[in-house]
Amino acid sequence: MRLLVQSILDYAIFMLDPRGVIVSWNVGAQRIKGYSAEEIIGTHFSVFYPPEDVAAGRPAKGLAEAAADGRWEEEGWRVRKDGTRFWASVVITALYDDEGGLRGFGKVTRDLTERRSMSRALDERGLLLARLVRAQERERRRIASGVHDDTIQSMVAVGMRLRTWAEKLPEEHAAEVRTLDETVEAAVHRLRDLAFSLRPPAEGLVASLAAYLDQMKAGTGVAHELRADLDGEPPAETVVTVYRICQEALTNVRKHAGASRVTVELSSLDLGVHVTVQDDGAGLEPSPSPEAEARHFGLIEMRERAEAAGGWWHIRGTPGGGTTVEFWVPAVPLARRDDGEDT
């Protein structure tokens, strides 16, 4: 039986003592979770849960329900050794001795990330999300075009007229007109930034992020590095989701971090795109509470975009040690009907 359990690769099978400390480990657990037996035995199993689940007491709840009912089962996000998350099917079984005493728990975990991503590509929720993303980007494009072609051009004309007047007026009045012209010019600059931020990515994910980082450096002086290791260009709705989350994360760096450098990394993982945005700025308190996140609209928007796409999102940092935004979204192309429509 020990040989059988130890040799299974597709399932993480291990034992916990009554407190939830890991006391055995199989090859499947090492493959799925990334820890060797020497690294993980003796550690509490809550290390596999996302920080928000640990704060909510989910590990203890699972053990309590397994002890009361004999068995506990759920699907949810779990964390690998490298910090990335996977969608897991988890079963915890209480183990009793002949006298009825609780000896510990048997835990079986299966990685369902790939199956979940494929299922999303075929369901109505995935189709609805894709249509919603496309509609939102069309509206952003329309607004950006209106701002650039109408509002900005009109204000540029006003600025030119003000400069002409300033050259003809007496100095006591010309100074006031020049001040007004500077105000108009600053407003034009802000509107151009708005139009740029609204513009949907059109040249591919990596090229769009590179252009945004270059524009950010020109405006703030923040140095940047973009690393990409993608198997190919993701589907259009995935490109938009990743781009918008990165855009919001970089906006936070520009406005709040006081950073001198930011690094963006993209890689293909679990039929999706895994992204980290890391800066060397002021940082934040470790594991911000849900209440703290709720007061910051940008954090809410990033999390909701990732979760709506079927992925996950997390932020971490230490005071003075910079901040890291990390997320993953699936990148499975939506299936197509014979008539060419999404399905």
Side-chain angles (χ1 to χ4, degrees):
M1 180 62 68
R2 182 178 294 110
L3 286 173
L4 174 64
V5 171
Q6 289 295 333
S7 63
I8 292 175
L9 294 176
D10 294 332
Y11 293 82
I13 304 174
F14 53 97
M15 292 275 294
L16 309 175
D17 71 10
R19 299 170 299 161
V21 174
I22 299 163
V23 296
S24 74
W25 198 245
N26 80 328
V27 175
Q30 180 170 336
R31 186 183 70 83
I32 292 173
K33 297 176 182 288
Y35 295 93
S36 67
E38 292 76 13
E39 290 175 311
I40 200 64
I41 289 177
T43 303
H44 195 271
F45 84 112
S46 59
V47 70
F48 306 132
Y49 284 73
E52 59 271 21
D53 286 353
V54 175
R58 292 192 65 81
K61 178 183 177 183
L63 293 187
E65 292 190 10
D69 302 331
R71 187 174 186 274
W72 181 78
E73 182 175 1
E74 76 159 1
E75 289 188 9
W77 292 113
R78 294 296 184 268
V79 181
R80 301 184 180 96
K81 177 184 176 181
D82 63 5
T84 60
R85 303 188 187 193
F86 65 99
W87 188 258
S89 168
V90 179
V91 178
I92 299 177
T93 303
L95 304 175
Y96 299 94
D97 58 25
D98 293 339
E99 286 74 37
L102 181 66
R103 297 294 301 275
F105 301 90
K107 194 166 185 289
V108 179
T109 302
R110 187 181 182 189
D111 185 351
L112 299 182
T113 309
E114 181 174 340
R115 191 181 79 177
R116 183 173 183 265
S117 296
M118 294 299 295
S119 175
R120 173 196 166 274
L122 299 172
D123 66 16
E124 291 298 322
R125 180 174 175 271
L127 176 60
L128 177 61
L129 174 66
R131 289 177 173 170
L132 181 62
V133 167
R134 287 195 294 268
Q136 185 182 57
E137 293 306 307
R138 283 197 299 269
E139 183 65 12
R140 284 175 176 264
R141 185 182 293 110
R142 186 189 66 80
I143 295 172
S145 178
V147 169
H148 181 271
D149 297 339
D150 184 10
T151 307
I152 290 180
Q153 299 306 318
S154 297
M155 294 185 70
V156 167
V158 170
M160 293 174 63
R161 181 64 60 87
L162 288 171
R163 286 190 289 275
T164 300
W165 285 350
E167 293 173 357
K168 297 178 179 179
L169 290 172
E171 181 57 32
E172 63 269 21
H173 301 302
E176 295 181 8
V177 174
R178 282 194 294 269
T179 299
L180 183 58
D181 176 44
E182 291 171 359
T183 302
V184 172
E185 187 175 358
V188 168
H189 180 74
R190 289 194 297 271
L191 285 172
R192 282 179 173 151
D193 284 346
L194 174 62
F196 182 85
S197 66
L198 288 172
R199 189 170 60 204
E203 302 172 351
L205 178 57
V206 175
S208 297
L209 285 173
Y212 190 86
L213 286 164
D214 287 342
Q215 193 257 1
M216 175 178 166
K217 181 179 180 181
T220 64
V222 176
H224 63 77
E225 182 178 3
L226 177 60
R227 305 172 188 163
D229 183 20
L230 299 174
D231 295 338
E233 182 69 8
E237 64 271 14
T238 304
V239 169
V240 171
T241 298
V242 172
Y243 179 82
R244 293 302 180 196
I245 296 175
C246 287
Q247 186 181 49
E248 182 61 41
L250 292 169
T251 297
N252 287 341
V253 172
R254 176 166 54 87
K255 291 184 175 179
H256 308 298
S260 62
R261 186 174 186 83
V262 62
T263 300
V264 180
E265 295 188 60
L266 304 94
S267 60
S268 296
L269 175 70
D270 295 333
L271 294 180
V273 180
H274 176 248
V275 184
T276 59
V277 180
Q278 185 174 18
D279 68 69
D280 62 355
L284 45 80
E285 295 299 324
S287 301
S289 66
E291 293 77 13
E293 287 188 15
R295 293 192 293 269
H296 195 307
F297 180 77
L299 300 184
I300 296 174
E301 182 179 4
M302 286 188 282
R303 181 186 294 279
E304 288 184 347
R305 277 187 179 272
E307 293 180 352
W312 53 267
W313 175 94
H314 179 59
I315 187 171
R316 62 183 182 274
T318 55
T323 302
T324 298
V325 169
E326 181 180 13
F327 65 95
W328 173 89
V329 293
V332 181
L334 290 173
R336 300 265 174 188
R337 293 197 192 100
D338 292 338
D339 60 6
E341 293 184 5
D342 293 332
T343 185

